């Protein structure tokens, strides 16, 4: 059995991506939807093997949007009327990688305009989730 926080490897064409899924609670006074609890987040991190650039896809808990915790298995994200995706499944990760905006994916690969100095990009995950689940249900 693999360790929970070990980076996993995904090969797409000539590109090697390392990826992980984490459950996060940001520091500070942020609270979850009407519960007085820390806000829960699921974060899918994609690291390009050659450039070491990182794309973080962040799913924040909000009304109608659920992240892993008390109600879902670890690594899962769900939306009412849309279903659930498990971020621990390589096929799901590949679909998110394919759904990245071209500029983000190209910058992480070292193509196109130079990415920011930090080489890290954070994206809101729900629009990508909606695009993937619309394809499943459409």
């Amino acid at each position: 059995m693999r360790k929970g926080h070990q980076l996993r490897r995904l090969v797409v064409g000539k590109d090697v991506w390392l990826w992980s899924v984490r459950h996060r609670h940001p520091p500070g006074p942020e609270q979850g939807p009407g519960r007085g609890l820390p806000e829960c987040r699921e974060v899918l991190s994609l690291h390009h093997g050659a450039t070491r650039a990182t794309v973080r896809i962040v799913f924040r808990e909000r009304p109608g949007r659920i992240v892993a915790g008390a109600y879902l298995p670890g690594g899962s994200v769900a939306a009412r009327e849309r279903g659930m995706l498990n971020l621990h499944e390589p096929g799901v990760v590949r679909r998110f990688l394919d759904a990245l905006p071209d500029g983000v994916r190209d910058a992480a690969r070292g193509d196109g305009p130079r990415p920011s100095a930090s080489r890290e990009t954070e994206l809101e995950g729900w629009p990508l989730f909606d695009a993937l689940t619309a394809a499943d249900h459409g």
Side-chain angles (χ1 to χ4, degrees):
M1 179 171 208
R2 75 176 182 84
K3 295 179 183 173
H5 295 291
Q6 182 177 354
L7 290 175
R8 298 177 71 183
R9 184 178 152 109
L10 180 67
V11 179
V12 180
K14 295 179 182 178
D15 293 311
V16 175
W17 294 85
L18 303 174
W19 60 279
S20 65
V21 178
R22 303 280 196 276
H23 185 82
R24 300 271 187 218
H25 297 123
E30 296 182 43
Q31 302 295 312
R35 296 187 291 135
L37 298 173
E39 178 188 61
C40 290
R41 297 177 182 180
E42 287 297 309
V43 180
L44 171 60
S45 298
L46 302 163
H47 313 277
H48 192 272
T51 67
R52 295 296 192 218
T54 300
V55 178
R56 295 188 202 292
I57 303 172
V58 181
F59 297 88
R60 292 171 179 84
E61 189 174 38
R62 51 181 50 128
R65 306 290 179 149
I66 305 165
V67 300
Y71 305 108
L72 292 176
S76 297
V77 292
R80 290 189 184 118
E81 312 292 324
R82 292 280 188 179
M84 179 180 82
L85 294 174
N86 186 335
L87 303 177
H88 288 296
E89 295 179 7
V92 171
V93 173
R94 170 64 191 265
R95 291 177 64 201
F96 275 104
L97 182 61
D98 290 344
L100 290 176
D102 289 338
V104 171
R105 187 175 46 249
D106 292 347
R109 293 172 60 202
D111 298 337
R114 294 289 294 161
S116 65
S118 71
R119 311 273 310 189
E120 291 192 15
T121 302
E122 183 174 300
L123 297 174
E124 172 63 40
W126 294 116
L128 295 171
F129 176 96
D130 290 343
L132 295 182
T133 56
D136 292 343
H137 297 285

